[in-house]
Amino acid sequence: MLLHHATWPEVETYLKRCKGIVIPIGSTEQHGPNGLVGTDAICPEVIATEAGAEAGFLVGPTFNVGIAQHHLGFPGSMTLRPSTMIAVINDWTESLLRHGFKRIYFFNGHGGNITTISAAFAEFYAQWSLDAEPCPARLMQRNWWELPGVMDTCRTLFPVGEGSHATASEVSVTQYALPHAIKSVAMSPKIAPSGSFTDAADYRARFPDGRIGSDPSQATPEKGAQIVAVAKQALIADVAEFFEIKPAAAAAQ
Amino acid sequence: MLLHHATWPEVETYLKRCKGIVIPIGSTEQHGPNGLVGTDAICPEVIATEAGAEAGFLVGPTFNVGIAQHHLGFPGSMTLRPSTMIAVINDWTESLLRHGFKRIYFFNGHGGNITTISAAFAEFYAQWSLDAEPCPARLMQRNWWELPGVMDTCRTLFPVGEGSHATASEVSVTQYALPHAIKSVAMSPKIAPSGSFTDAADYRARFPDGRIGSDPSQATPEKGAQIVAVAKQALIADVAEFFEIKPAAAAAQ
Amino acid sequence: MLLHHATWPEVETYLKRCKGIVIPIGSTEQHGPNGLVGTDAICPEVIATEAGAEAGFLVGPTFNVGIAQHHLGFPGSMTLRPSTMIAVINDWTESLLRHGFKRIYFFNGHGGNITTISAAFAEFYAQWSLDAEPCPARLMQRNWWELPGVMDTCRTLFPVGEGSHATASEVSVTQYALPHAIKSVAMSPKIAPSGSFTDAADYRARFPDGRIGSDPSQATPEKGAQIVAVAKQALIADVAEFFEIKPAAAAAQ
Amino acid sequence: MLLHHATWPEVETYLKRCKGIVIPIGSTEQHGPNGLVGTDAICPEVIATEAGAEAGFLVGPTFNVGIAQHHLGFPGSMTLRPSTMIAVINDWTESLLRHGFKRIYFFNGHGGNITTISAAFAEFYAQWSLDAEPCPARLMQRNWWELPGVMDTCRTLFPVGEGSHATASEVSVTQYALPHAIKSVAMSPKIAPSGSFTDAADYRARFPDGRIGSDPSQATPEKGAQIVAVAKQALIADVAEFFEIKPAAAAAQ
Amino acid sequence: MLLHHATWPEVETYLKRCKGIVIPIGSTEQHGPNGLVGTDAICPEVIATEAGAEAGFLVGPTFNVGIAQHHLGFPGSMTLRPSTMIAVINDWTESLLRHGFKRIYFFNGHGGNITTISAAFAEFYAQWSLDAEPCPARLMQRNWWELPGVMDTCRTLFPVGEGSHATASEVSVTQYALPHAIKSVAMSPKIAPSGSFTDAADYRARFPDGRIGSDPSQATPEKGAQIVAVAKQALIADVAEFFEIKPAAAAAQ
Amino acid sequence: MLLHHATWPEVETYLKRCKGIVIPIGSTEQHGPNGLVGTDAICPEVIATEAGAEAGFLVGPTFNVGIAQHHLGFPGSMTLRPSTMIAVINDWTESLLRHGFKRIYFFNGHGGNITTISAAFAEFYAQWSLDAEPCPARLMQRNWWELPGVMDTCRTLFPVGEGSHATASEVSVTQYALPHAIKSVAMSPKIAPSGSFTDAADYRARFPDGRIGSDPSQATPEKGAQIVAVAKQALIADVAEFFEIKPAAAAAQ
């Protein structure tokens, strides 16, 4: 069930049985020669949408531009400043709290977002802590690739060249989600260099085509389907635990 | 062509022929008994996506949560504070400017966004004006219902009960875009009351089911298709003028 | 009755009979070869002052620097950033709310302010809406030239060359208000070009002497007096309706 | 010469001979039983206006709402938060710098503003200092009562009961400036208590009618005229030194 | 008793007998050829630590980077922007208020901090004043050199060349506190020039080695000990008065 | 070499041979029944000070209040909001950059700071990335307990009850650093519960005496000395690599 595809009376009804919502959160940034600029938003969105449909939990709008300052050397990449992202997450969270949501699960598709999301949570909680009031809601974030079983699947599918940016796995997931947008590009070198980075100039100098450690030419939509299937079930279980509901009960709704 | 479905080399190539981009911008807020919470984001997104595909211009990610404080009395509505939205628009715009975009067209689906978008533009230009530097980019916004021909079409399709929030037209557009999410709900009263409002409590007191002046039970996906067809052509022409390109030339790419 | 010319016990007494206040809001920016830099603040100030004196409502201090980034190419123009103006309007409004004011009427003299004032209102209401508390106050804005009858008067007085910036009408109003500051300047061309603009460099390139579409050499203090007379009565009626008081009752105080 | 009563070509001409401007800065806050809410803005405004007219320097718009949180217990008082005021002063200053002003003299009428104005100057300079660029402008502030000779005059006129808020002197200055707004109110006690304060509740508890240490029933417009005369000449000299111009030369313009 | 050297149960116990805390606040900035970059933090820290140990009051962590934009022309100087410092002081103060502290005494070592600390206090109080709630806490600041008796001692010890930045006295205090960090440097000229300044470039041009008006080569740790001894006793008395406790009672704890 | 114990000419000299600086960064928050409120600032400060002295690198002032909103249920704990901390880190970093520092190493003592420090780095780099300018400096953070060899040492010393907050190791380090501040407190239960937390109310409910998973009654200053010895050498090596200097060369200075 997608929040944006529901009416307000449907949301009102949902809130009577469940106080939880999943927010896919990603980024709009280069993903190498054959990866989509929207990869990091598409991956959590497709997994959450399928899982929400199966298990009956609510999925909110996708937070689609995140922290990608280091990718700005590549056309199409967009970033928020962390201070802006903290303000946005706070506004989204306050809005949901207003309606009685008590469990907000940010389902993340971009490593660069993790620390800012965490800082945003502390910003949100700080107001309650300073006011000496217990916060009625709990927030959590989870990276889709860290759900139980997902990394194992990815390593099995791509024993070499999975990498850490523009990975073979995430490109596969987007190929599964958007088969009409599959790009066929030869990689040179086959496996991209690895390492760390600071700002956009530094990143582009170290990783000339945008990939880090990966060979995403191995990606296929079929492999994407396998990853999504594993991630979906793991997400359902993870959300059920966080929402403190029984998966069976949720699925029955 | 969608930015998030493109690779960075594709964006780089695009920028050689065109410096313009369209950003659909909407809201996540109640739209009455049968309107989707995501209506205001879905409408500009679907029109822009079809127009971009036909005319060959680039469409960026959808800005999906806007200024909806007055709708917070209805479950599922989400808002940014205007100061937050100004910061986000600034970050998005700075990011695009960085890559050489010179025409950024915000294609708006929500009346409540208009003034904050305009304020954001002034905030962006102000830095250049204070620095006594000419700004290399031009920003504009357009509401989809104000494109030439669209309102006439809506009035013809819905001579009575078009309304001003949760309109018959916008609900039709979403039914066209998302036929699986059509909701069948009787309206009572048939046509909602009209008027102005201030905050969320005031809004809910005046408009108990969320609609203003509309009877969206008249909506059909077929009427939505007609509206989208008119809006698409008008958008192509409007964008071509703003981008200072000839539509034919763009379509030929 | 001017707030700044009253004592606090007088304000306390006023609040027992009326919870409304009018805030003139303008700009400090070039107004062409013969228009004063303070035109947009002077116009609402003089109309509000006369109306408040006649009808017995309270007029607050004039908000005299607004959104004028596009005028910064001309010496003497000053601007706030929109985010700053939102903060200021919020502080002024919170201050007035603290004393029990429930109707705050921003009487505007500058087109460039409109959207930021509106965004500021949404920022103010958002806190109440997010807190699920009804806001005890209502805010509104009105441009002086949009009061009933004013535009008709202006068009009658200046059938040609009224224009949209440094208009013949607003220059007339300032000549009425400040006869010692009337400037006699020949216009070349007689009627300035029209069009839109973005930042300061763009504005100055398009409108070399600052005017848009106007011939303010037609201005006279007598015409200004006629405009003020019409605007004053219209403002009294508009304020009375917003304050939910009867003009007669107010005038009797 | 008042900026708001000048045209932009007049400002352009002025800037060829002088790069300095005086900004009256005050507050909108209670001033006891017979003092005007606008006292702190009116005093520097009237002195600066007369001095500017005599000596030929430019006087900008009056900054009329300042730091008055401690006065909010009395109806009509308005405040900015210090962080807001810093942003506003920065925007005003950047605007003036843009036109080539190099000496900006804030002529202050409110003790509560002093530290925030100073903090705003540091905020402004900090950007230049961090950028390792010399700032082309110098900012200063001066309280009108601290100009040479003014305090002596006040003490001579009011050997007893001058006080420190709602002073006999400042009330006299406003009576001189606005003889139609003179209020006749008996003081009880004759001389108000003295002391320090923190927030609005604390202030009102300590100073029940708003005065601190003063007996402003001694005020007369004639005494105000004497004070203004002394302050005007002192301001002309002080500004001339700050602008690095000879008063005679300026007066000759 | 130092907060950072206490456990939370010890703080809990302390709060039962005293609601006050002293926060040393300084700066990290050049102090001439033989003065330490940390001088302004070290001085209040050492005095407060000794006084707190003797009199039994709590001393919090040292606020060690303040407003020093004007010193940035000299290596090692660090600054906060005033708006940042206001936010930090607010967060520190809100944290302490949360635990029941009602008297927060900022013990200052840097003239450049004074106005921003005062602005921060107004920012903090403003929220209470706007909310029409009495603030449960009182804040104050005191410069260590303005405690009764301290300036007299300094003038006696250094009748010539005390100066106003990198003073002989403050260098002496740091030599007393940190004898291993005494630097022996000849001054040229013996006494530094005096005057005012704006930004960092202006400061360095006027005061080439960083000192203002001082000859700190006169400093000795013995003189520092004398100053600290006087300041310590004066601080104990000042804090006792502010905390509304009897020094004897506090010392007995 | 401590920045605050150096003169500016010494810093100038240092910068000729090394462009790096280490900033200890901690927190002021409860550390259980026998841990000091300042533990997280003291630990990195003592290790960095000893390492800097031995290896000749510069150590800046300690950033002593961090992100501790979750500890506010315990007296004495202080927090910054993450948005404040980002602003402060930005100001500190800009200041250091101004002097030519190119490697800024934040040496962290508090797990709760990690994500906000990382967000602050992204905020800092974002300005350069958006401006399409290469940032001249690199920032990094390191937790002292993650230096090579440290965790092994801690596990060897405390095979049971090391825990994750108010750990036996960190308490030992503070006992080594401040033997006069050793507290002798019995723990009940011997080993504290483990788990996660959200805001302050939640934290206190789960961890009644503040500890998480630890038995810090095992701490001794001797064990602290061992930990510091290991950490010091590891820090010297880590800093040398980051500063791109040879440890031997640095030590020779």
Side-chain angles (χ1 to χ4, degrees), chain B residues 123-226:
Chain B
E123 184 94 9
F124 176 74
Y125 289 133
Q127 194 53 56
W128 296 90
S129 297
L130 286 164
D131 286 350
E133 293 276 346
C135 177
R138 285 178 56 196
L139 316 180
M140 77 167 278
Q141 64 169 318
R142 180 79 73 199
N143 302 316
W144 68 262
W145 61 88
E146 290 181 345
L147 285 167
V150 173
M151 277 211 191
D152 286 346
T153 304
C154 297
R155 271 188 291 257
T156 303
L157 292 170
F158 307 106
V160 174
E162 164 67 354
S164 62
H165 184 70
T167 67
S169 294
E170 63 188 346
V171 172
S172 296
V173 171
T174 61
Q175 289 184 348
Y176 160 73
L178 299 161
H180 63 282
I182 297 175
K183 324 279 173 167
S184 187
V185 184
M187 298 291 147
S188 167
K190 191 105 181 92
I191 295 184
S194 290
S196 66
F197 51 83
T198 58
D199 66 340
D202 181 65
Y203 188 106
R204 179 126 198 189
R206 292 171 191 270
F207 311 107
D209 71 0
R211 294 174 296 145
I212 303 183
S214 68
D215 170 15
S217 67
Q218 304 173 82
T220 70
E222 295 73 23
K223 291 174 181 171
Q226 289 183 56

Side-chain angles (χ1 to χ4, degrees), chain A residues 44-230:
Chain A
E45 185 177 83
V46 65
I47 298 165
T49 300
E50 293 199 8
E54 181 168 323
F57 59 73
L58 193 65
V59 177
T62 300
F63 196 113
N64 49 20
V65 174
I67 304 302
Q69 59 84 21
H70 44 299
H71 293 294
L72 285 172
F74 298 90
S77 301
M78 297 171 69
T79 196
L80 296 181
R81 284 171 172 85
S83 56
T84 305
M85 189 161 173
I86 288 172
V88 178
I89 290 177
N90 188 71
D91 286 359
W92 285 36
T93 303
E94 277 194 55
S95 297
L96 294 169
L97 205 67
R98 208 282 195 188
H99 303 307
F101 287 100
K102 294 197 188 317
R103 294 288 181 276
I104 307 176
Y105 181 104
F106 286 85
F107 188 45
N108 184 37
H110 174 47
N113 286 346
I114 298 170
T115 56
T116 298
I117 294 172
S118 172
F121 289 0
E123 184 93 9
F124 175 76
Y125 288 134
Q127 195 53 53
W128 297 90
S129 297
L130 286 163
D131 286 351
E133 294 275 347
C135 177
R138 285 178 55 196
L139 316 179
M140 76 166 278
Q141 64 169 318
R142 181 78 74 199
N143 302 315
W144 68 261
W145 62 88
E146 290 181 347
L147 285 167
V150 173
M151 278 211 189
D152 286 346
T153 304
C154 297
R155 272 188 291 258
T156 303
L157 292 169
F158 307 106
V160 174
E162 164 67 355
S164 62
H165 184 70
T167 66
S169 294
E170 63 187 347
V171 173
S172 296
V173 171
T174 62
Q175 289 184 348
Y176 160 73
L178 300 160
H180 63 281
I182 297 175
K183 325 279 173 166
S184 187
V185 184
M187 299 292 146
S188 168
K190 191 102 179 95
I191 295 184
S194 290
S196 66
F197 50 83
T198 58
D199 66 341
D202 181 65
Y203 188 106
R204 179 126 198 188
R206 292 171 191 269
F207 313 106
D209 71 1
R211 296 174 295 144
I212 303 182
S214 70
D215 170 15
S217 67
Q218 304 173 81
T220 70
E222 295 74 22
K223 291 174 180 171
Q226 289 183 56
I227 296 167
V228 169
V230 171

Side-chain angles (χ1 to χ4, degrees), chain C residues 8 23 28 52 72 75 79 99 151 162 189 195 199 204 212 218:
Chain C
W8 74 260
I23 305 284
T28 295
L72 286 173
T79 196
H99 303 306
M151 278 213 190
E162 164 66 355
D199 65 341
R204 178 123 199 189
I212 303 183
Q218 303 174 81

